[in-house]
Amino acid sequence: QSLTMIRNEQADNIPLGVTVIIGTVLMMALADAIIKFVSNELPLWQVFVIRSSLALPVLLLLLCRSRLSKFDVGLARWVALRSLMLTLMYIAIYAAAPVVALSVIAAALYTGPLLTTLFSGLINRERVPLVAWLGVMCGFIGVMLIIKPTTDEFRPAILIPMIAAILDALVAIITRSKCQNVRPVVLATALNICLVGVGLVATGMLAMAGHLISDHIHYPFLLGSWIEMGQREWATMAILAVLIILIGIGLAKAYQSAPSAIIATFDYSYLLFAALWGFVFFREVPEALSVIGMVMIAGAGFLATGIKPLRLAGKI
């Protein structure tokens, strides 16, 4: 019998899962704000390669201290797929970062937890109640209030994080249903290996096609060449490396510790943290309609997951 059919079920630990996901999304919002802050200086692929190259020795050291288990090896293909999806998710998020407010990116991205709940029903055969569909509708209305598709304020780049939302939902399902018994440090290591690989491939492709690319002057974050790094840039990369280690382990641990629907609900705290760091780094203040949209998205999360706040507080 294949290892994919053998599952050593772990008891849910909802308080641990909730605590870990809140701390993790706080660090995620901070990392995203830092990358947006340096997007005018460092190309994305250089960030991917340098950040993960600094993180990998630490992760590999942690990995060497505990041998690979049969689940880590047997589920390698799911770990690889999860890593690739996460990498594509990061690309989708950061592609919009230089031109879209962090809070708006967060709102578009965080339709993902709504999709997580629906995908849980389709993939894991979990029952999705009718109220969940109401939550999804409410959430997408909230997104429309933020991105304003029929006004002059609309930017097509705002739709890019929606791709990231779909990938985020699929990653959550894969983590819960296929990688629950794979240790978080293994998942974090695989993710950073994938980030380095994709970053190097993208860098090589841009180098070969450099004379054909004319837009890199206008959009250096995705199409620009690597720059020489000074003390400030190395310090920034070191901070991002620490954050990616903690985020990689935290995301895996949270979704392994409690049901996807519960973790997805608390994932919405990213909206608050993104608004916080957006103000701290860029003095971004969401307008009234955007705030209403964020509230609707967060409320939709509770509807979609079928969890009442007071009832959930009792579980924690």
Side-chain angles (χ1 to χ4, degrees):
Q1 189 177 15
S2 67
L3 288 175
T4 54
M5 298 298 294
I6 301 174
R7 297 191 60 195
N8 178 25
E9 294 292 343
Q10 302 172 354
D12 287 338
N13 188 336
I14 294 177
L16 175 63
V18 169
T19 301
V20 171
I21 194 61
I22 290 175
T24 300
V25 296
L26 171 63
M27 292 184 289
M28 285 176 60
L30 175 58
D32 293 347
I34 292 174
I35 291 178
K36 178 179 171 67
F37 190 74
V38 302
S39 62
N40 290 328
E41 304 171 9
L42 292 167
L44 177 61
W45 316 116
Q46 185 173 1
V47 172
F48 273 13
V49 173
I50 300 299
R51 177 184 63 176
S52 291
S53 295
L54 292 175
L56 274 173
V58 178
L59 290 168
L60 291 173
L61 179 61
L62 293 173
L63 201 58
C64 289
R65 295 184 63 180
S66 57
R67 295 179 182 178
L68 289 174
S69 71
K70 61 182 180 180
F71 291 104
D72 296 334
V73 177
L75 299 175
R77 66 181 182 275
W78 288 110
V79 173
L81 178 61
R82 176 186 182 275
S83 300
L84 180 59
M85 284 187 169
L86 270 174
T87 299
L88 294 175
M89 184 194 78
Y90 282 128
I91 293 172
I93 293 172
Y94 298 144
V99 294
V100 180
L102 191 61
S103 59
V104 174
I105 292 176
L109 173 63
Y110 271 72
T111 57
L114 300 175
L115 298 174
T116 297
T117 301
L118 297 183
F119 289 165
S120 293
L122 294 175
I123 298 175
N124 290 348
R125 299 182 183 278
E126 297 175 7
R127 178 179 173 273
V128 179
L130 182 60
V131 70
W133 294 103
L134 178 61
V136 171
M137 292 177 59
C138 179
F140 278 103
I141 291 173
V143 170
M144 292 301 105
L145 288 176
I146 294 170
I147 67 176
K148 305 176 184 66
T150 60
T151 69
D152 293 336
E153 299 178 36
F154 174 73
R155 295 181 180 181
I158 294 176
L159 298 178
I160 298 176
M162 299 293 291
I163 299 173
I166 296 173
L167 291 167
D168 178 55
L170 292 173
V171 166
I173 298 303
I174 290 174
T175 302
R176 178 69 177 173
S177 63
K178 301 297 182 180
C179 300
Q180 187 175 20
N181 296 296
V182 180
R183 287 167 301 160
V185 67
V186 174
L187 296 176
T189 302
L191 169 61
N192 281 276
I193 290 174
C194 188
L195 287 168
V196 170
V198 170
L200 290 174
V201 169
T203 299
M205 292 176 64
L206 288 173
M208 289 188 292
H211 63 286
L212 300 175
I213 299 175
S214 59
D215 292 335
H216 69 279
I217 297 176
H218 306 293
Y219 202 33
F221 188 50
L222 282 185
L223 303 175
S225 302
W226 283 34
I227 67 167
E228 183 177 350
M229 290 172 49
Q231 189 174 18
R232 175 174 171 269
E233 287 77 21
W234 281 108
T236 301
M237 289 299 103
I239 293 172
L240 288 173
V242 172
L243 289 173
I244 196 65
I245 291 171
L246 296 175
I247 291 168
I249 294 175
L251 279 176
K253 186 63 178 177
Y255 278 97
Q256 288 174 340
S257 299
S260 303
I262 292 178
I263 298 301
T265 299
F266 282 91
D267 226 333
Y268 280 100
S269 57
Y270 181 94
L271 291 168
L272 299 176
F273 296 137
L276 170 64
W277 296 124
F279 177 77
V280 171
F281 280 85
F282 313 106
R283 291 296 183 265
E284 295 174 352
V285 180
E287 57 184 36
L289 278 180
S290 295
V291 172
I292 294 172
M294 290 179 192
V295 172
M296 290 185 69
I297 292 171
F302 285 98
L303 287 174
T305 55
I307 296 173
K308 297 179 180 179
L310 293 178
R311 182 180 172 188
L312 181 59
K315 290 184 179 182
I316 300 172

